Amino acid sequence: MRKGMVMTMNDYWNVSGRIFDIQRYSIHDGIGIRTIVFLKGCALRCKWCCNPESQEYAIQTMLVNGKPKTIGRDVTVAEVMDVVRRDMPYYGRSGGGLTLSGGESLLQPEFAAALLQAAKDIGINTAIESMGYAEFSVIREILPYLDTYLMDIKHMNAAKHKEYTGKENTKMLENAKRIAESGLCELIIRVPVIPGFNDTEEEIAAIAAYAESLPRVEQIHLLPYHKYGEGKYEGLGRPYPMGDAPMLPEGRMEKLKAAVEKKTALYCQIGG
């Protein structure tokens, strides 16, 4: 897609991309009942990633319940929208819609933009769950078709961010600012709370203070660490990077939420 070019239905219907899952009837990653399309490929390598099968763009084989399963398939926008449109009655009742996730959807920019435009053209609410790791010129292309940007901000310290994710955070923080300043969509900041990485009141409060400094940002969501993806690493023949890291102590999330509410006027919730 050329910069600034609006695709017609005939243009975008045949745009293709690579996904690894479509999850229907979700009540996470946006308001209402959502259909979540998971795009393959990610620039980061977060130690706690619960979707390690998303990291490589290549199609892979993963053992699932002891049996090999192909992870990743190439699809067109038309094929994805055939699934999404089946759930339109649920969107109308709940305010839900389509959410793009990953991986990092912005690594397939033409496909992501085409999916979002296809949804908007038939009146479906749209959201993207993203780390914002892309040039802003890429993000600018999707903003006109986006209702909600669910953006991860994991840490304010660039060195610690790089230690745990493989990339420093300057680009993400700058993109959050530019998305907020655009006023084109709702921006909600989300923070995966990870033991040993960012689970102190000071670290979470610093992220919240930055979020509050962004124009029109009103919400921050704290996402508690879990080990749901640990078995996927085994299925891919990879060690789990978090090893035997302990779970968050009981009551820690509530204390972090209180720290946000003490520091800022943001609406803060646990879970996304």
Side-chain angles (χ1 to χ4, degrees):
M1 181 173 64
R2 296 191 302 273
K3 185 177 180 180
M5 176 182 176
V6 176
M7 290 187 287
T8 67
M9 185 174 292
N10 287 336
D11 291 326
Y12 64 62
W13 217 245
N14 292 318
V15 173
S16 63
R18 184 165 293 175
I19 67 173
F20 66 95
D21 197 12
I22 298 178
Q23 181 179 327
R24 301 172 67 191
Y25 315 122
S26 175
I27 57 171
H28 303 289
D29 297 324
I31 62 170
I33 296 173
R34 316 294 299 182
T35 303
I36 306 177
V37 180
F38 292 87
L39 278 65
K40 220 168 182 313
C42 190
L44 274 65
R45 293 295 182 267
C46 302
K47 290 186 177 183
W48 60 88
C49 179
C50 62
N51 289 326
E53 75 275 35
S54 76
Q55 295 176 352
E56 298 291 338
Y57 178 75
I59 294 173
Q60 298 168 286
T61 299
M62 181 171 74
L63 291 179
V64 179
N65 297 322
K67 297 180 180 179
K69 179 180 179 180
T70 300
I71 304 295
R73 58 191 175 100
D74 294 327
V75 294
T76 64
V77 169
E79 290 173 311
V80 173
M81 292 307 297
D82 280 346
V83 177
V84 172
R85 285 186 294 186
R86 294 177 210 164
D87 295 338
M88 287 184 71
Y90 301 102
Y91 306 152
R93 296 171 193 160
S94 68
L98 168 69
T99 298
L100 302 188
S101 189
E104 173 55 81
S105 303
L106 299 176
L107 295 183
Q108 297 188 55
E110 185 176 9
F111 184 50
L115 286 169
L116 294 171
Q117 185 178 342
K120 292 306 294 181
D121 282 355
I122 57 175
I124 294 177
N125 177 278
T126 59
I128 187 171
E129 191 280 315
S130 163
M131 295 157 290
Y133 191 79
E135 296 304 318
F136 187 71
S137 58
V138 170
I139 296 173
R140 186 189 297 119
E141 292 294 315
I142 70 169
L143 292 180
Y145 314 118
L146 199 56
D147 291 303
T148 303
Y149 201 124
L150 302 163
M151 186 170 183
D152 277 11
I153 293 183
K154 308 174 195 300
H155 211 285
M156 295 304 297
N157 181 282
K160 196 168 187 180
H161 192 282
K162 185 173 183 178
E163 178 187 356
Y164 275 76
T165 73
K167 302 289 183 181
E168 59 95 39
N169 60 358
T170 304
K171 180 176 288 188
M172 291 88 141
L173 296 178
E174 179 60 27
N175 281 338
K177 183 173 182 287
R178 297 179 74 172
I179 293 164
E181 289 174 343
S182 78
L184 292 173
C185 65
E186 178 186 31
L187 176 61
I188 296 175
I189 301 304
R190 310 209 312 177
V191 187
V193 180
I194 310 302
F197 172 58
N198 65 357
D199 61 329
T200 68
E201 294 176 37
E202 292 77 15
E203 288 167 310
I204 296 299
I207 298 172
Y210 180 77
E212 190 177 44
S213 76
L214 302 174
R216 292 174 290 276
V217 170
E218 299 177 350
Q219 296 188 48
I220 185 168
H221 300 171
L222 305 181
L223 313 180
Y225 170 69
H226 60 73
K227 294 187 177 184
Y228 300 155
E230 186 173 6
K232 295 181 179 181
Y233 287 87
E234 182 178 351
L236 290 167
R238 294 171 50 189
Y240 182 53
M242 290 295 288
D244 57 357
M247 299 300 291
L248 293 165
E250 184 176 353
R252 175 67 59 83
M253 293 301 297
E254 288 73 17
K255 288 182 179 179
L256 297 177
K257 180 174 183 288
V260 170
E261 293 170 339
K262 181 179 179 181
K263 182 78 172 182
T264 74
L266 295 172
Y267 170 78
C268 180
Q269 72 180 44
I270 297 172

